[in-house]
Amino acid sequence: KKVIACSRGFGKRPPVIYVFDLNKNNDESYNLEEVCKIELAAKPTQLFCCEDESILCSCEDGSLTHYKIENNEGVLIKLVKLHEKSLTAFDLDLQSKEIITASADAKAKLIQYPSMNIIREFPTDRNLNACAMLTMNNTKFHIVGGGQDARDVALQSNASAQFETLVYPRDRVSNDG
């Protein structure tokens, strides 16, 4: 089993994804052994590790990167610049091979995985900082939310809070909008 962790970088140290093997010791304790380090060009916002040892990493520069661990090295599969501002969150549905992204550029995007082609864009009137996909009663939904940072929600009254959740049924989504 693999464990992934990341550093956002500090000073002259670049942002890095660390990949570890999780090994069980004879005394039933566990040991982490570093497999590889992957240096990033931008600060990461979220990581996801698939069972096939693929890693997806979203970054503050609006990019989404797909890596694969092969022969104890992180191999770049694809890097796509999806957003003009920070890609704040993403969710992956491995069954339908789709990714939904949320960004500070007030857009969510539905992406085909692993090609990383854009299926649909969801423009909003505010920054987005959360997204999810779910299936309920045989209908797929894409959920995006945002409007302001959590710290700002706590500092403003409910009357002026700008956080809103938008729900898009998947059956209304098509390639032509």
Side-chain angles (χ1 to χ4, degrees):
K1 296 203 178 220
K2 299 279 190 242
V3 175
I4 58 172
C6 71
S7 162
R8 291 179 46 85
F10 184 74
K12 294 181 181 181
R13 293 182 180 171
V16 174
I17 297 173
Y18 297 94
V19 180
F20 301 93
D21 274 331
L22 180 63
N23 303 311
K24 192 171 186 178
N25 299 323
N26 292 338
D27 64 355
E28 300 296 314
S29 65
Y30 289 89
N31 176 34
L32 288 176
E33 183 180 334
E34 187 176 304
V35 172
C36 68
K37 283 194 250 187
I38 304 168
E39 284 196 22
L40 303 172
K43 290 184 178 184
T45 56
Q46 184 176 338
L47 294 174
F48 183 87
C49 188
C50 303
E51 289 182 13
D52 69 352
E53 297 191 1
S54 289
I55 298 172
L56 291 170
C57 177
S58 61
C59 291
E60 285 184 355
D61 68 353
S63 66
L64 184 64
T65 309
H66 179 199
Y67 297 97
K68 180 106 173 159
I69 306 304
E70 295 177 353
N71 300 319
N72 292 335
E73 296 208 10
V75 177
L76 174 65
I77 302 299
K78 192 153 193 176
L79 183 146
V80 290
K81 178 91 159 87
L82 296 170
H83 295 278
E84 295 302 314
K85 294 185 179 178
S86 180
L87 200 163
T88 52
F90 70 92
D91 189 23
L92 172 65
D93 182 342
L94 288 171
Q95 187 173 16
S96 66
K97 296 189 180 280
E98 293 176 339
I99 299 170
I100 186 84
T101 65
S103 174
D105 66 8
K107 293 177 187 161
K109 293 186 180 181
L110 185 63
I111 311 298
Q112 186 66 44
Y113 173 79
S115 71
M116 306 291 227
N117 294 326
I118 298 171
I119 298 170
R120 170 102 192 263
E121 186 173 299
F122 303 92
T124 68
D125 64 348
R126 57 194 64 195
N127 298 342
L128 298 173
N129 46 22
C131 61
M133 290 187 282
L134 82 114
T135 302
M136 202 165 52
N137 297 328
N138 294 323
T139 302
K140 289 186 178 181
F141 293 94
H142 300 103
I143 304 165
V144 295
Q148 62 191 111
D149 290 333
R151 64 166 191 231
D152 295 330
V153 172
L155 297 174
Q156 295 184 5
S157 73
N158 288 341
S160 64
Q162 294 293 312
F163 190 89
E164 182 178 2
T165 301
L166 306 170
V167 178
Y168 299 94
R170 175 66 172 118
D171 59 2
R172 291 179 34 199
V173 177
S174 66
N175 289 339
D176 59 351

